[in-house]
């Protein structure tokens, strides 16, 4: 990694170029996708910031593929990202949380060797109330041989990601990403329109201050999850010191806070959401890559998130993610409870 002095101003462009130089075999295609995403992020940030002023709020008539009401800003964010990346000749297929099937590269444009999966505006139920929202992205390398990317290219386990990141549209706009060389965060300086390196080499604390979970689901969780959350609140102080609670209900914001300050985010399965609520490919997998690169971890309770083999684009998964020892505590507690009710479980705890 290139070392910068505390006073040097490093734009995201310069940082990406410097990282690319560390890989003589790099063709610059991945860097190109990251630039394009940074541009899309600036355009979305601009719109999100004016959301309360412009007449853009309110639901469109389409219900998206998840059956939720789609906000107009989701549609804008989705189109902005597709238009920013579809013509660059670097991608062969895309998939979005807002779109049911594969988003192909339009005829007439070159196809490249990467696939992009993204959640254009996560936490969108929060837009109306001025709570941070985010964009999440994941980049995979194509494995099939034809011109166009196929489902097989998109349905790869998270450990094959070549890059992942998110943008948080909060009190400031930040872009945080990894290409497998640590996690780096950039803050948008709105006066010059550039993302500047503000958080090089983010390492999340091994034990966090916070736990983040929607506790209104408590009565719908299994006993193991209930015991784990009680433990996070201080029920088993010899195993886990009590934590403070923070829950925004916007994954990117909850994850980002815990990444920096240390903490654990959980969205377990419950009786209403037996597979959990969050999407494996657009949310859990990219966040898990970032968490692991920051020395944290991510599990569905039994399996490392990055090892789960996806079967369909919009698959959901339970998610426990964040500081390594906290995630281990939850996985152990859930596993012990499962053993008590149904005999030993084969998967090792994290
Ligand atoms: P939202 O429904 O607002 O789009 O992925 C969906 C998500 O937000 C996440 O951002 C967030 O972490 C979670 O759902 C919140 O769900 P609950 O409202 O059930 O807590």
């Amino acid at each position: 990694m290139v070392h910068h002095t505390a006073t040097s101003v490093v734009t995201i462009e310069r940082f990406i170029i410097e990282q690319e130089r560390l890989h003589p075999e790099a063709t610059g295609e991945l860097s190109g996708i990251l630039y394009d995403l940074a541009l899309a992020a600036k355009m979305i940030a601009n719109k999100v910031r004016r959301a309360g002023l412009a007449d853009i709020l309110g639901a469109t008539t389409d219900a998206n593929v998840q059956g939720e009401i789609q906000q107009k800003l989701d549609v804008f964010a989705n189109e902005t990202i597709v238009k920013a990346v579809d013509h660059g000749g670097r991608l062969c297929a895309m998939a979005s949380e807002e779109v049911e099937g594969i988003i192909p590269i339009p005829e007439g444009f070159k196809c490249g060797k990467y696939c992009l999966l993204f959640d254009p505006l996560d936490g969108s139920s929060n837009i109306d109330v001025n709570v941070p929202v985010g964009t999440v992205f994941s980049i995979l390398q194509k494995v099939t041989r034809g011109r166009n990317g196929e489902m097989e290219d998109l349905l790869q386990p998270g450990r094959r990601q070549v890059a992942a990141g998110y943008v948080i549209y909060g009190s400031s706009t930040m872009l945080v990403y990894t290409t497998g060389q640590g996690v780096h965060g950039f803050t948008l300086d709105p006066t010059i329109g550039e993302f500047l390196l503000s958080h090089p080499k983010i390492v999340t604390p091994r034990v966090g201050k916070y736990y983040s979970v929607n506790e209104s689901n408590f009565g719908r969780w299994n006993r193991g999850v209930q015991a784990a959350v009680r433990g996070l609140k201080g029920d088993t102080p010899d195993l886990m010191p009590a934590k403070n609670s923070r829950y925004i209900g916007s994954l990117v914001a909850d994850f980002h806070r815990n990444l920096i300050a240390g903490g654990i985010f959980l969205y377990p399965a419950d009786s209403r959401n037996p597979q959990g609520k969050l999407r494996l490919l657009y949310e859990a997998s990219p966040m898990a890559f970032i968490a692991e690169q920051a020395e944290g971890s991510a599990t569905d309770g039994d399996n490392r998130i990055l090892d789960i083999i996806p079967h369909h684009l919009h698959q959901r998964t339970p998610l426990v993610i964040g500081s390594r020892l906290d995630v281990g505590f939850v996985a152990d507690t859930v596993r012990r409870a499962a053993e008590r009710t149904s005999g030993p479980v084969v998967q090792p705890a994290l």
Side-chain angles (χ1 to χ4, degrees):
M1 145 143 205
V2 178
H3 291 280
H4 299 106
T5 62
T7 51
S8 64
V9 173
V10 180
T11 63
I12 197 165
E13 280 79 3
R14 175 173 162 192
F15 188 85
I16 291 171
I17 290 169
E18 287 176 356
Q19 291 263 305
E20 192 188 303
R21 285 209 194 107
L22 301 175
H23 296 272
E25 74 290 354
T27 57
E29 285 171 74
L30 182 59
S31 301
I33 300 169
L34 293 169
Y35 290 146
D36 291 346
L37 288 171
L39 174 66
K42 287 191 248 182
M43 294 165 76
I44 297 167
N46 208 27
K47 250 324 189 241
V48 167
R49 221 179 28 244
R50 289 183 298 137
L53 300 170
D55 182 28
I56 194 164
L57 284 185
T60 63
T61 48
D62 303 332
N64 74 2
V65 288
Q66 306 295 338
E68 294 154 359
I69 298 296
Q70 206 174 37
Q71 306 286 146
K72 281 183 182 171
L73 268 175
D74 294 20
V75 180
F76 172 83
N78 193 68
E79 284 173 6
T80 303
I81 293 172
V82 170
K83 282 191 206 139
V85 295
D86 68 357
H87 59 280
R90 304 167 186 118
L91 294 173
C92 61
M94 288 174 276
S96 161
E97 202 242 319
E98 299 292 334
V99 178
E100 186 149 7
I102 297 182
I103 306 172
I105 300 303
E107 285 300 323
F109 292 138
K110 215 179 125 234
C111 275
K113 64 176 180 212
Y114 292 107
C115 305
L116 174 70
L117 296 106
F118 60 98
D119 183 352
L121 212 58
D122 187 71
S124 50
S125 56
N126 286 318
I127 295 167
D128 281 336
V129 290
N130 218 339
V131 163
V133 287
T135 296
V136 190
F137 61 89
S138 162
I139 301 173
L140 291 160
Q141 201 153 0
K142 182 168 184 274
V143 288
T144 61
R145 293 178 166 265
R147 169 195 180 268
N148 297 313
E150 294 171 28
M151 203 50 97
E152 195 185 329
D153 297 305
L154 296 164
L155 298 182
Q156 300 188 56
R159 61 170 182 269
R160 301 238 187 93
Q161 290 172 102
V162 293
Y166 62 83
V167 184
I168 174 167
Y169 310 101
S171 45
S172 57
T173 299
M174 271 191 80
L175 190 153
V176 175
Y177 81 91
T178 184
T179 53
Q181 319 270 323
V183 179
H184 309 286
F186 301 80
T187 303
L188 182 63
D189 180 341
T191 61
I192 56 170
E194 290 277 8
F195 279 107
L196 303 179
L197 181 64
S198 53
H199 295 65
K201 190 85 191 85
I202 298 171
V203 173
T204 199
R206 281 164 69 76
V207 177
K209 288 190 209 167
Y210 300 122
Y211 76 98
S212 312
V213 67
N214 184 341
E215 280 197 68
S216 69
N217 293 324
F218 194 93
R220 288 185 284 273
W221 294 332
N222 68 33
R223 285 185 181 191
V225 173
Q226 290 181 339
V229 172
R230 283 204 190 94
L232 295 171
K233 284 144 91 90
D235 249 27
T236 48
D238 42 329
L239 295 176
M240 172 60 56
K243 294 190 191 301
N244 200 348
S245 160
R246 289 282 186 281
Y247 187 72
I248 296 171
S250 196
L251 174 68
V252 175
D254 280 309
F255 177 86
H256 180 73
R257 180 201 52 245
N258 292 354
L259 181 75
I260 304 293
I264 181 166
F265 173 94
L266 302 85
Y267 210 113
D270 60 55
S271 55
R272 275 208 298 234
N273 301 291
Q275 310 302 321
K277 179 183 181 196
L278 302 180
R279 273 60 102 186
L280 175 62
L281 293 175
Y282 311 112
E283 298 176 308
S285 231
M287 291 310 204
F289 189 22
I290 295 166
E292 287 199 4
Q293 282 291 316
E295 300 180 16
S297 67
T299 175
D300 69 356
D302 286 333
N303 311 288
R304 178 183 176 225
I305 292 289
L306 295 183
D307 286 338
I308 299 174
I309 297 176
H311 298 292
H312 59 92
L313 281 179
H314 297 284
Q315 185 167 329
R316 294 173 194 264
T317 179
L319 177 64
V320 180
I321 190 166
S323 292
R324 183 170 285 270
L325 297 185
D326 298 338
V327 173
F329 167 79
V330 170
D332 285 345
T333 310
V334 168
R335 184 174 45 90
R336 275 199 303 272
E339 276 170 8
R340 273 199 298 276
T341 51
S342 62
V345 171
V346 279
Q347 288 92 350
L350 287 188

